[in-house]
Amino acid sequence: MPSHLSADRPAAQPPGRGSVDALISQARRLKGDMDAVRRDTRSDGSDPEDRWQRALYDLALHQLNDLDEHLAQLRDGPPPVPPSKEAAPATRAVPPAPRRGSLLSRVGSAEWNLLTDEASWSGELYQILGRDPAAPPLTLDELPSLVLDEDRLKLTAMVTDCLVDAKPIDGEFRVVRPDGDVRTVHMMGEPVLDTDGSTASMWAVLRDVSELRRSQRAVSETRDSLQRHRHRAQAEHTLAVELQEAVLPPWRGSLRLPHQGPETLDLAAHYLPSSASALIGGDWYDALQLADGETLLSVGDLTGHGVAVASGMATLLGAVRGMAMAGTQPGQLMALLNQLLDATVQPALGSAVCCRYRPETRTLVWAQAGHPAPLLFRDGTGRRLHAPDGVLLGATSGAVYEQAEETLRPGDLLLLHTDGLVPRHSDGEAVNRLLDLGSRFAEARTAQDCVRIVMEEFGEAEREDDACVLLARVTA
């Protein structure tokens, strides 16, 4: 093999896909040329040099096949390479095992004379099998003693087919070296026939393919692992989406509350997934008509992504609805949500804003927990409401959350959003961009039209997190 493929050279930057494709084409052309030369080679099998030459042609084709496969692996993504092992001391009688991490194969040869019961091995074969070079080579009857128990029948069958039926040998088996190291050996051989047609001897070329097979297993295991990971991630994503869709309000488009009597609020909302993650986050929006005629408006965000976060979001949103239906005011509701997160087994942080709107007085009572304050748009001008004190949910035990009140007017537009809507590093600038939408909101006829305006401005932006936006227009 070319010396520039040696694992001893410093690691180079991986070539581009086009360069690798060109190398693959070259390797395949060389393989075709080598196969043509091999077919043109004629030998009656009597000359050991001719046999060795033909064996090298066969071996070269195997090596080119391996090179083709390795180049394809490089193009598709390099496999992890096992760590190098320190070489054994030079004073050992048994040759050291081939160095780990190298995909280049050691090649040895052997011939067994059936008439004289003699065997001859090359020095490389001693290296592969870990045998003392001063020891005599093993006979065909002794060779299986080096082979793993489960591979002995395979070797015996190959040798028998070669000696009895004159079939060529082409197969693999594993040997155990004296130091306990297990090596995978690829054996190619043919019978040598006597003048009367009987088998006089058998020659073989043996190649250590341990690192190659280890690399192939690593690639296969990595691909299997990635496939399992993809399937698991897809299943988790599907479950999270289904859970989110089951929990978030079923209305799409505008919602007018209350359902009975004069309508006082025109509402619309939108959910924007993250552009940086395929996993579902813990953002929510909600609008709910309460038993006392008031309306609950809330948005929130539980940190993280995935099924567990979507499940936690569902728990929080259910708690918000239940406590609001029971008459709990926003400040106290936030304190109870903080206790709920503090008591969970899995630590979590969240932010939220919760509002109760009283249509009789057009009063908005609200509280927040580390969340962006609502924006109020009136007569084409927007401003951010002054936020009452409130820390992140789950940040500290026993936190107290203040409330604030705001009197609204017909035509006012209230915008609630989670912080994923605007980039965190430019929060002030992005909020100003939201406030600048006031004149366009003033010309919009419905809350749904206002959502479309927000999406035109922010919908195509790259965002690190999911986002929700909820708009409520006071109609009377």
Side-chain angles (χ1 to χ4, degrees), residues 86-111:
E86 294 294 332
T91 55
R92 289 178 55 182
V94 176
R99 183 173 61 83
R100 296 216 174 191
S102 173
L103 297 177
L104 303 181
S105 303
R106 288 183 179 272
V107 181
S109 63
E111 183 166 359

Side-chain angles (χ1 to χ4, degrees), residues 219-375:
V219 170
S220 178
E221 290 169 0
T222 300
R223 287 174 178 167
D224 290 345
S225 177
L226 288 174
Q227 190 68 19
R228 290 194 298 270
H229 176 75
R230 291 191 189 101
H231 289 161
R232 183 168 60 249
Q234 182 60 41
E236 290 182 356
H237 176 76
T238 300
L239 179 58
V241 169
E242 291 176 350
L243 181 59
Q244 182 191 65
E245 292 179 347
V247 172
L248 292 184
W251 43 273
R252 299 292 184 268
S254 290
L255 173 70
R256 295 182 179 273
L257 294 178
H259 295 302
Q260 297 178 348
E263 296 174 342
T264 58
L265 287 179
D266 174 23
L267 299 115
H270 194 79
Y271 184 96
L272 296 93
S274 166
S275 56
S277 173
L279 298 177
I280 294 296
D283 294 60
W284 84 79
Y285 62 87
D286 197 23
L288 182 66
Q289 182 177 332
L290 303 177
D292 57 7
E294 297 182 2
T295 298
L296 168 72
L297 303 175
S298 72
V299 296
D301 179 14
L302 191 64
T303 57
H305 294 84
V307 174
V309 172
S311 177
M313 176 271 289
T315 300
L316 282 186
L317 183 53
V320 169
R321 290 170 174 171
M323 288 187 286
M325 289 296 289
T328 306
Q329 294 301 301
Q332 180 63 16
L333 189 151
M334 288 295 179
L336 293 174
L337 281 184
N338 183 64
Q339 292 181 25
L340 177 62
L341 272 187
D342 190 46
T344 56
V345 176
Q346 187 69 29
L349 289 174
S351 68
V353 60
C354 180
C355 312
R356 289 180 72 105
Y357 177 68
R358 300 168 183 164
E360 297 86 356
T361 60
R362 300 193 189 92
T363 302
L364 185 77
V365 181
W366 68 286
Q368 64 84 30
H371 199 87
L375 305 181

Side-chain angles (χ1 to χ4, degrees), residues 6-267:
S6 171
D8 294 330
R9 291 179 60 86
Q13 292 297 321
R17 185 182 181 93
S19 300
V20 177
D21 286 336
L23 288 173
I24 291 175
S25 297
Q26 293 177 19
R28 290 176 179 173
R29 285 196 297 270
L30 180 57
K31 186 166 59 176
D33 294 341
M34 183 68 68
D35 189 43
V37 173
R38 174 182 172 275
R39 287 197 303 267
D40 290 339
T41 302
R42 294 290 182 265
S43 174
D44 58 7
S46 60
D47 187 342
E49 185 174 347
D50 289 343
R51 295 201 304 268
W52 176 247
Q53 184 181 38
R54 190 171 68 255
L56 287 180
Y57 282 133
D58 291 338
L59 182 59
L61 286 172
H62 276 278
Q63 295 278 21
L64 287 170
N65 283 329
D66 293 341
L67 177 60
D68 189 2
E69 181 176 344
H70 287 316
L71 288 172
Q73 291 173 6
L74 179 62
R75 179 187 58 196
D76 299 334
V81 178
S84 299
K85 180 185 287 186
E86 294 294 332
T91 55
R92 289 178 55 182
V94 176
R99 183 173 61 83
R100 296 216 174 191
S102 173
L103 297 177
L104 303 181
S105 303
R106 288 183 179 272
V107 181
S109 63
E111 183 166 359
W112 289 273
N113 191 312
L114 305 182
L115 302 179
T116 63
D117 202 25
E118 294 177 343
S120 61
W121 286 6
S122 69
E124 279 293 322
L125 186 54
Y126 280 96
Q127 291 280 335
I128 293 172
L129 300 180
R131 301 284 295 175
D132 183 353
L138 299 182
T139 66
L140 283 177
D141 291 334
E142 295 170 331
L143 185 62
S145 64
L146 303 181
V147 180
L148 283 180
D149 291 345
E150 51 265 41
D151 289 355
R152 286 178 183 170
L153 288 178
K154 182 193 303 183
L155 174 61
T156 300
M158 287 192 299
V159 171
T160 301
D161 289 344
C162 180
L163 298 181
V164 176
D165 299 326
K167 292 182 179 179
I169 291 177
D170 189 349
E172 293 183 7
F173 51 88
R174 291 164 296 170
V175 298
V176 183
R177 291 166 48 92
D179 58 5
D181 191 28
V182 177
R183 310 299 294 177
T184 302
V185 176
H186 178 226
M187 184 176 185
M188 296 169 55
E190 290 183 0
V192 180
L193 303 182
D194 205 349
T195 55
D196 60 0
S198 62
T199 303
S201 63
M202 188 187 86
W203 64 268
V205 173
L206 295 96
R207 183 166 61 120
D208 185 346
V209 294
S210 304
E211 301 307 323
L212 174 61
R213 297 299 174 249
R214 185 177 288 111
S215 172
Q216 290 172 335
R217 287 195 300 272
V219 170
S220 178
E221 290 169 0
T222 300
R223 287 174 178 167
D224 290 345
S225 177
L226 288 174
Q227 190 68 19
R228 290 194 298 270
H229 176 75
R230 291 191 189 101
H231 289 161
R232 183 168 60 249
Q234 182 60 41
E236 290 182 356
H237 176 76
T238 300
L239 179 58
V241 169
E242 291 176 350
L243 181 59
Q244 182 191 65
E245 292 179 347
V247 172
L248 292 184
W251 43 273
R252 299 292 184 268
S254 290
L255 173 70
R256 295 182 179 273
L257 294 178
H259 295 302
Q260 297 178 348
E263 296 174 342
T264 58
L265 287 179
D266 174 23
L267 299 115

